[in-house]
Amino acid sequence: MSSLQNFVENLHLGLLGNPWERWAMSAFVTGGVLILAYFLKNLLGTKLKHQAIRTETKWDDAALKALEKTQFLFILLFAIHFGTQGLDLPVKLEKAREAFFFLFLFYQIGLWLSTALKFIGQNSVRASLAREPGKATTISTLLIVGDIFIWVTMGLLLL
């Protein structure tokens, strides 16, 4: 009963050594970053859609496909990472936050790059399939090698 009594008496002090006001500010910043990130993602998506309609190039189409692969979990961890910067967290929790952020950051970058590469490569394969089947096979092989390169690079950067 003593530990419960001690907990109740210290409840006003906050959590993990941070006062409740700091936690409230952290939650407010996290929510703001989350909303802003979603707004910017949607705004950029709309701009890329309009750009893709007006141009013949496939780069904007590839960027749009990559942007559509943005994971909610990445945006959430992005918001939490920046929203909790003002908290004094224990070292282990701080390291865990950093590790999760970088894990999902490199995963998301790899997903964007892989999606863009596949989109551009598949368009090249379709364009050259009828005229030069050998070239299409080479491009398909390079796409596999490029995808492996992207994920190995992201893994190495994470380490």
Side-chain angles (χ1 to χ4, degrees):
M1 190 71 156
S2 169
S3 60
L4 179 62
Q5 210 172 25
N6 193 18
F7 174 76
V8 172
E9 287 174 4
N10 292 323
L11 192 59
H12 71 281
L13 296 177
L15 182 65
L16 297 175
N18 293 286
W20 293 113
E21 296 84 18
R22 194 177 285 176
W23 281 103
M25 182 57 81
S26 177
F28 179 75
V29 170
T30 299
V33 170
L34 184 65
I35 291 168
L36 181 63
Y38 253 93
F39 173 76
L40 290 175
K41 177 187 176 251
N42 291 333
L43 180 68
L44 185 58
T46 302
K47 295 280 185 190
L48 283 172
K49 283 179 188 173
H50 287 103
Q51 182 71 19
I53 292 170
R54 287 182 282 172
T55 62
E56 296 289 322
T57 65
K58 296 296 179 193
W59 293 103
D60 43 15
D61 297 322
L64 181 60
K65 289 285 184 197
L67 182 65
E68 289 171 353
K69 289 289 188 174
T70 303
Q71 303 288 306
F72 172 75
L73 188 57
F74 168 70
I75 294 174
L76 179 64
L77 287 174
F78 178 82
I80 290 170
H81 178 75
F82 287 103
T84 58
Q85 291 293 318
L87 296 175
D88 293 324
L89 299 173
V91 175
K92 287 184 179 182
L93 191 57
E94 184 78 31
K95 286 183 179 183
R97 183 190 68 178
E98 293 289 324
F100 275 114
F101 174 71
F102 282 108
L103 174 71
F104 281 94
L105 175 67
F106 289 124
Y107 172 73
Q108 186 62 62
I109 292 171
L111 198 57
W112 286 331
L113 292 173
S114 181
T115 301
L117 177 69
K118 286 177 186 171
F119 180 81
I120 291 170
Q122 288 170 349
N123 282 328
S124 297
V125 167
R126 273 188 240 117
S128 62
L129 194 58
R131 295 182 316 238
E132 303 172 75
K135 185 176 180 182
T137 304
T138 303
I139 293 171
S140 295
T141 303
L142 288 174
L143 285 175
I144 293 169
V145 171
D147 204 37
I148 291 170
F149 176 77
I150 287 169
W151 290 110
V152 166
T153 302
M154 291 302 113
L156 290 174
L157 286 173
L158 187 60
L159 294 176

